[in-house]
Amino acid sequence: MWYVMQVRTGTEETIQQQCKRTVSPDIMECCYVPYYERMRRYRGAWHREQRLLFPGYVFLVSDNLEALYRDLKHVIGLTKLIGTGREIVPLTEEEIALIRKLGSDTELVELSRGIITGGRTVITDGPLKGLEGCIRRIDRHKRIAYLEVEMMGRIVETQVGLEIVSKDRPDNLIDKSPCR
């Protein structure tokens, strides 16, 4: 099962390292912090950067929630495991599939490329291909797509790198088909 741990923003990597040291590998299969790749312009040139996909969250994979919870009590800086009320709830299969599609087998969502044709955004290459309905807004100058995805029982907004390589109309309308 996949679980989500909420931490103070900026401490994700520190908490990830603590989890790997503190929690037994028999209890926790994996602990990761997903990133996305984007292009940013400074000093007159475009540079590749990596940013947190879900700031303030660390993802854990474990089949033994009770033992995981017990070992996580020794992690300094843990805010809480995400759930509903007092119950800790794992991610659904659809949420896991979305994370895997975005990041494949890595912790990095690579830069996508697309075109705007007839007022619709069409992703031609990258992890966003087929997920056009999740895109709520595009900032072509910053080369960022803002996504809304259902995650952890609510709508979560995040951003990923997207380069629009051509546009045939002056408006920036996007496909409003449902993401979920």
Side-chain angles (χ1 to χ4, degrees):
M1 304 296 246
W2 289 40
Y3 298 96
V4 182
M5 180 173 41
Q6 186 176 20
V7 300
R8 202 172 67 234
T9 302
T11 65
E12 296 87 357
E13 288 182 5
T14 306
I15 300 293
Q16 178 188 23
Q17 294 305 315
Q18 279 189 62
C19 287
K20 288 180 178 179
R21 282 192 314 263
T22 306
V23 181
S24 167
D26 297 335
I27 297 171
M28 184 179 69
E29 295 174 35
C30 177
C31 176
Y32 68 97
V33 178
Y35 288 85
Y36 70 93
E37 188 175 58
R38 68 176 265 183
M39 298 298 288
R40 187 163 172 227
R41 187 175 176 93
Y42 54 90
R43 294 187 193 158
W46 287 97
H47 303 272
R48 266 184 210 271
E49 288 185 342
Q50 292 182 3
R51 295 281 178 103
L52 290 170
L53 183 62
F54 298 108
Y57 296 100
V58 176
F59 293 78
L60 307 162
V61 180
S62 175
D63 289 328
N64 188 345
L65 176 60
E66 290 175 16
L68 177 67
Y69 187 73
R70 183 187 65 240
D71 283 3
L72 286 176
K73 288 183 179 181
H74 303 288
V75 174
I76 299 167
L78 163 68
T79 303
K80 65 179 177 177
L81 284 170
I82 301 296
T84 57
R86 293 183 174 260
E87 184 180 346
I88 298 167
V89 179
L91 293 179
T92 65
E93 291 299 322
E94 294 82 17
E95 294 167 340
I96 295 169
L98 177 66
I99 291 172
R100 284 188 169 149
K101 179 168 177 28
L102 284 174
S104 63
D105 291 331
T106 66
E107 297 177 17
L108 179 66
V109 179
E110 296 178 352
L111 186 70
S112 295
R113 287 179 179 66
I115 59 173
I116 297 177
T117 179
R120 293 186 57 211
T121 301
V122 179
I123 306 300
T124 57
D125 184 43
L128 284 181
K129 191 171 185 175
L131 296 175
E132 289 88 349
C134 295
I135 300 172
R136 291 296 163 240
R137 184 169 63 97
I138 295 173
D139 187 332
R140 289 184 59 212
H141 298 287
K142 291 184 178 180
R143 299 181 182 187
I144 297 277
Y146 296 88
L147 308 178
E148 283 185 357
V149 294
E150 191 170 334
M151 184 86 46
M152 302 170 274
R154 60 189 174 95
I155 301 297
V156 176
E157 294 180 5
T158 189
Q159 54 191 26
V160 295
L162 173 64
E163 185 171 9
I164 299 295
V165 292
S166 74
K167 180 179 175 185
D168 68 354
R169 286 186 49 185
D171 57 0
N172 190 13
L173 300 175
I174 59 175
D175 182 13
K176 295 291 186 184
S177 60
C179 175
R180 298 162 277 294

